[in-house]
Amino acid sequence: MRRGVALAALALASCTPKPVLLEAPRLPDAVALGSATWLIPGGFEPGRSPDGNSVILAGPEGAILVDTGRHLGHVEAIERGFRALGFPLAAIVNTHWHLDHVSGNPTLRALHPGVKVYGTSAIDGALTGFLATSADASRKALSDGSVPESAIPDVKGDLATIARGAELRADVVVDEPRDLSIAGRPLSLRIARRAATERDLWIYDAAEKRAIVGDLVTLPAPFFDTACPEGWLKALDDIASSGARQVVPGHGPLMTIAEFNGWHRAFTDFMACTRGSGALEACSAGWLAGAKSWIGDDTARAKAMADYYGGLIRGGKLDGYCKA
Ligand SMILES: [Zn+2]
């Protein structure tokens, strides 16, 4: 029997009938994960800033969207998905405040009045801290001409998003783990403290044994920019013991739990290596070997990222993100 046919919330006598999903439709630009769940892959073009993955889940009372991307093209792909699904957007869940995961919030709020945004309060500190500082640096770089031509649209786009910071914030703040029903679909919201950001939210869909983990799993390398490496390791242990059989990363394709375990091992080895005293090049080489099935021919970029983040960890540049 085809999967994804489970939802049938008929409201025959209601003036506002609830959506009925008798058969999971094909969504353009999306990878069907089964059971009324679709992955809209985030892009990462050379020389451009990335979009995080988005996930659409259909619930008896509407659609739930996990993360909203950065570029307009990604938001348009999400919208095409909603149109094909024929469901109203009931809720957005943001895994964390990075701009490749929340920039679509204002556009989607405007298109879907009444949508409720779930997320942690970590964005408040980011708006006055990391994002404010990076906006200052971006304005300076634009004015002194040091931004490469190809990156200018992304830099300007991020500045415009930061200027609308209040519209990125959650309506429903989730700072502690909570099991709840969103759009009629039971989901377990889990919180990782001091991991990829100060507070990362990830979702365990117990009915599907699927974890949607945002940037707790990324490719072609772990994105350590605002991370506490040891807290991140603990979060990965929590995902590993959650019961999940599938893991949806923040960047990269769907993973089986065996694949996730391989990624987890490569992350653990990379961390141990960078915290040691051997050559950092060996840490990057270890990462490239451990994650080679995903990296494919993206080796140069993966190595450059691993070298950069290895240096941040070795130099103690991320230790501040581990402080309470
Ligand atoms: Zn991301």
Side-chain angles (χ1 to χ4, degrees):
M1 192 180 105
R2 200 166 154 189
R3 298 188 76 206
V5 189
L7 295 171
L10 287 165
L12 295 172
S14 167
C15 305
T16 53
K18 291 182 176 178
V20 180
L21 191 61
L22 296 175
E23 184 152 338
R26 285 176 60 85
L27 269 53
D29 315 299
V31 180
L33 305 184
S35 304
T37 307
W38 296 263
L39 166 65
I40 313 256
F44 196 179
E45 300 299 318
R48 303 286 306 275
S49 302
D51 291 285
N53 286 335
S54 291
V55 180
I56 296 175
L57 301 99
E61 293 158 15
I64 304 151
L65 172 67
V66 182
D67 287 344
T68 61
R70 168 186 260 117
H71 298 101
L72 185 58
H74 186 85
V75 177
E76 287 170 346
I78 291 169
E79 273 301 305
R80 283 193 289 277
F82 291 146
R83 275 203 293 278
L85 191 58
F87 274 33
L89 177 60
I92 292 169
V93 182
N94 288 135
T95 57
H96 63 296
W97 57 262
H98 286 173
L99 296 183
D100 51 331
H101 297 260
V102 299
S103 294
N105 285 17
T107 303
L108 289 163
R109 279 185 193 277
L111 288 170
H112 304 274
V115 65
K116 279 225 162 2
V117 177
Y118 293 72
T120 80
S121 64
I123 193 166
D124 296 341
L127 284 169
T128 53
F130 185 93
L131 290 172
T133 306
S134 83
D136 286 344
S138 293
R139 278 189 286 268
K140 184 171 177 304
L142 282 172
S143 73
D144 69 20
S146 62
V147 179
E149 194 71 27
S150 66
I152 289 175
D154 280 355
V155 170
K156 288 185 171 171
D158 284 354
L159 281 171
T161 299
I162 294 168
R164 301 179 73 176
E167 295 170 71
L168 308 177
R169 298 171 69 235
D171 304 308
V172 182
V173 172
V174 182
D175 277 346
E176 301 296 332
R178 270 171 76 178
D179 292 348
L180 73 177
S181 171
I182 304 179
R185 185 156 171 164
L187 294 170
S188 180
L189 306 187
R190 311 282 172 93
I191 298 294
R193 298 292 307 272
R194 304 191 189 287
T197 68
E198 183 192 343
R199 258 196 186 84
D200 294 306
L201 187 160
W202 60 280
I203 298 162
Y204 185 56
D205 184 346
E208 303 305 321
K209 295 194 182 306
R210 185 181 294 126
I212 302 167
V213 301
D215 279 6
L216 296 173
V217 177
T218 62
L219 287 161
F223 297 175
F224 280 102
D225 305 82
T226 59
C228 168
E230 282 71 23
W232 191 338
L233 264 178
K234 183 188 173 303
L236 293 173
D237 292 342
D238 291 344
I239 295 165
S241 61
S242 67
R245 289 184 192 150
Q246 290 185 334
V247 174
V248 184
H251 300 262
L254 177 75
M255 293 179 179
T256 63
I257 195 64
E259 290 168 331
F260 166 79
N261 290 338
W263 190 96
H264 187 183
R265 219 162 21 246
F267 181 103
T268 306
D269 292 348
F270 180 71
M271 280 288 311
C273 182
T274 56
R275 289 295 193 202
S277 56
L280 278 177
E281 290 74 24
C283 307
S284 299
W287 170 258
L288 292 179
K292 73 170 184 295
S293 61
W294 295 287
I295 292 169
D297 59 6
D298 201 10
T299 316
R301 182 160 64 173
K303 180 180 184 311
M305 293 176 82
D307 286 347
Y308 170 71
Y309 291 127
L312 289 186
I313 299 168
R314 176 73 58 87
K317 300 278 198 316
L318 301 176
D319 295 351
Y321 291 113
C322 297
K323 295 208 175 95

